[in-house]
Amino acid sequence: MATAISPIKLGGLARMLVQEKLLSDDEANAIQSSANTQQIPFVKQLISSKKLSALQVAETAANAFGFPIFDLDALNSDYLPPKGIDVKLMQSSHVMALQGRGNTLFVALSDPTNLHVLDDVKFQTGMTLSPVVVEDDKLARWIAKIVEASDTSMSSIDVDEDFNLDLEGDDQAQEETQSVEIDDAPVVKYLQKILIDAINMGASDLHFEPYEKFYRIRYRVDGVLREIAQPPLAIKEKLASRIKVISSMDISEKRIPQDGRMKLVLSKTRTIDFRVSTLPLIHGEKIVMRILDPSSAKLGIEALGYEADQKEALLSAVSRPYGLVLVTGPTGSGKTVSLYTCLNILNEPGVNISTAEDPAEIPLAGINQVNVNDKQGLTFAAALKSFLRQDPDIIMIGEIRDLETADMAIKAASTGHMVLSTLHTNDAPSTLTRLMNMGVAPFNIASAVSLITAQRLARKLCPNCKVPLDVPKEALLGVGFKEEDLDGSWTLYGPKEGGCELCNGGYKGRVGIYQVMPVSDAMSRIIMKNGTAHDIADQAQLEGVRDLRQSGLLKVKQGLTSIAEVEAVTNE
């Protein structure tokens, strides 16, 4: 006599199949019981039993519950979302990400009634989910393929050995970090994953932010902050301690801000530096990490977005034996990368280059880099005085902040040295008047300053999904286009709403917008007469120097960015 199987609580999919008369109660009970015993999904056990095929289950589930069905054989791996579902969750829950659209993530699964799985995925991604039913066997093959790819994902950043976090501190710091690694191995692995993900996404900054009821991590990608994760609140102290230890900070000091550095060794040939800053908040320490990739200084001037005439003017100025070249713009506008690109071009065995920075962000072999330290008396001006006794050819000063530094820079530029530096001004013409307002004599400005570059960074339209726009002629004239520009020879593009799986809201990457202004003899005469920034700007226009808005609109004509983005970064 056959042993009767005790009825058990059937899952939603099993109940539906019984209601559709594709399985009997006994069959559903037997399959569910066997799945529970083997700790595998009901669908997998059902297909293994050969009662129904994977296609039959998918079609029935899609019709019964009103979800779309998709054939995974038609899926192209190139279009999978870059930020998908955690690999471990994908394996354990038998679910994968298909496509991201705005804040919605389309997920493939073979059992759409498994609400627990959907809740786990929603918690991990922070996105609204839209389920799509697929065949279980094809889903299993795709998950295996993604898992296999993730095991070698480090190859995308040229990793040829186990990466590690290098300490720039002393032996005590080494001992402390080993202790942290032993005690909090999950935190160490989590931090490494966060750092690697940030590098792969092209982030420039990471923000670790504690609040009363939650803890969040955000990346700045293409100039925009995006929330990436909300780890458990209990992790904040351990994560902060780990970061402080490897950044050579005082792990016990939580009442005052601290600064430090750390590096992530990806391979024998590639290392990423991080500049780390802590700030005590009422609910813990906020930590911001700036990613400093030395390879960004070696992109070449062609990659920065200069127009041909602007590039020629800049290279001509920095190639002179003497003079002062200034790069201006707000924080985060790419001034450092522009300066380092020029230094990289000038860095030859027969040239002595010295830099004073706060701090030195990108290490370059062959260049003498100094970190200024105001507390110890090593200011920009003090460093510059020392450089002049070091037989320099080229000097780079991180920033001209005061009259003493400005006077020293002018003196160095007037005595046979090429000097590069930055100022925080809105555009190139106002830089000259800013120097006069600081107290620099107009004669010295006119004789020493050879070129000024003002710059901004604008988000680039995603080439995969940008869409043509039809904008009235009056509106185009209103943003700065001229009648002769609207000749129909170019197409106006904008971002696709929600973007695509390859971009962030219709944008991917950034491009520089520049105002490159050589200081001509006519401008020098205006300076000598104490002329205003408007006088200098008018003369620059007469000489064919494009201002930031005009340079931005040129990028719009080239299809690289949108009018909205140009207006946002050049709206003075």
Side-chain angles (χ1 to χ4, degrees), residues 235-420:
I235 202 177
K236 67 177 184 180
E237 295 293 344
K238 292 182 178 180
L239 200 53
S241 295
R242 169 65 178 163
I243 293 172
K244 287 164 73 174
V245 165
I246 59 180
S247 303
S248 300
M249 298 183 194
D250 185 351
I251 193 172
S252 63
E253 182 56 77
K254 302 178 182 180
R255 299 165 297 175
I256 61 174
Q258 296 188 65
D259 293 304
R261 290 177 75 96
M262 54 173 275
K263 59 175 63 175
L264 183 63
V265 180
L266 300 177
S267 71
K268 293 178 181 178
T269 57
R270 188 175 181 198
T271 299
I272 304 293
D273 287 321
F274 294 81
R275 192 176 72 202
V276 186
S277 171
T278 68
L279 180 68
L281 304 181
I282 58 175
H283 297 297
E285 289 181 285
K286 173 174 179 175
I287 299 175
V288 176
M289 306 174 73
R290 166 66 59 88
I291 299 177
L292 309 172
D293 188 353
S295 62
S296 62
K298 301 177 182 178
L299 292 173
I301 197 166
E302 294 79 10
L304 299 184
Y306 287 95
E307 302 300 332
D309 58 332
Q310 294 175 334
K311 181 179 72 172
E312 182 181 354
L314 178 60
L315 291 178
S316 174
V318 299
S319 299
R320 293 175 58 183
Y322 59 89
L324 176 59
V325 173
L326 294 171
V327 180
T328 76
T331 301
S333 60
K335 299 188 298 295
T336 299
V337 171
S338 292
L339 282 176
Y340 272 102
T341 300
C342 291
L343 289 179
N344 201 49
I345 293 171
L346 300 171
N347 187 14
E348 297 178 353
V351 178
N352 180 22
I353 303 176
S354 296
T355 74
E357 304 165 73
D358 185 22
E361 295 191 354
I362 302 174
L364 281 181
I367 292 178
N368 309 295
Q369 296 171 280
V370 173
N371 280 332
V372 300
N373 189 331
D374 290 341
K375 292 181 180 179
Q376 300 297 324
L378 182 55
T379 62
F380 281 117
L384 189 47
K385 286 180 184 177
S386 180
F387 288 167
L388 294 176
R389 295 190 290 270
Q390 292 275 314
D391 185 30
D393 296 303
I394 298 168
I395 296 170
M396 195 269 272
I397 308 167
E399 182 184 349
I400 294 178
R401 298 175 179 172
D402 51 48
L403 177 58
E404 184 182 12
T405 306
D407 273 337
M408 290 294 299
I410 294 285
K411 177 183 175 183
S414 302
T415 55
H417 305 93
M418 170 52 59
V419 181
L420 292 81

Side-chain angles (χ1 to χ4, degrees), residues 105-121:
L105 184 67
F106 293 87
V107 294
L109 69 174
S110 55
D111 183 357
T113 67
N114 196 337
L115 300 180
H116 178 68
V117 165
L118 295 174
D119 287 341
D120 288 344
V121 173

Side-chain angles (χ1 to χ4, degrees), residues 173-206:
Q174 294 278 3
E175 293 174 5
E176 287 178 355
T177 193
Q178 288 170 3
S179 174
V180 171
E181 288 176 357
I182 293 170
D183 296 340
D184 301 304
V187 173
V188 174
K189 292 180 180 178
Y190 182 73
L191 176 60
Q192 290 176 338
K193 181 182 184 303
I194 289 292
L195 298 181
I196 292 297
D197 286 349
I199 294 168
N200 283 333
M201 290 180 65
S204 61
D205 301 86
L206 296 82

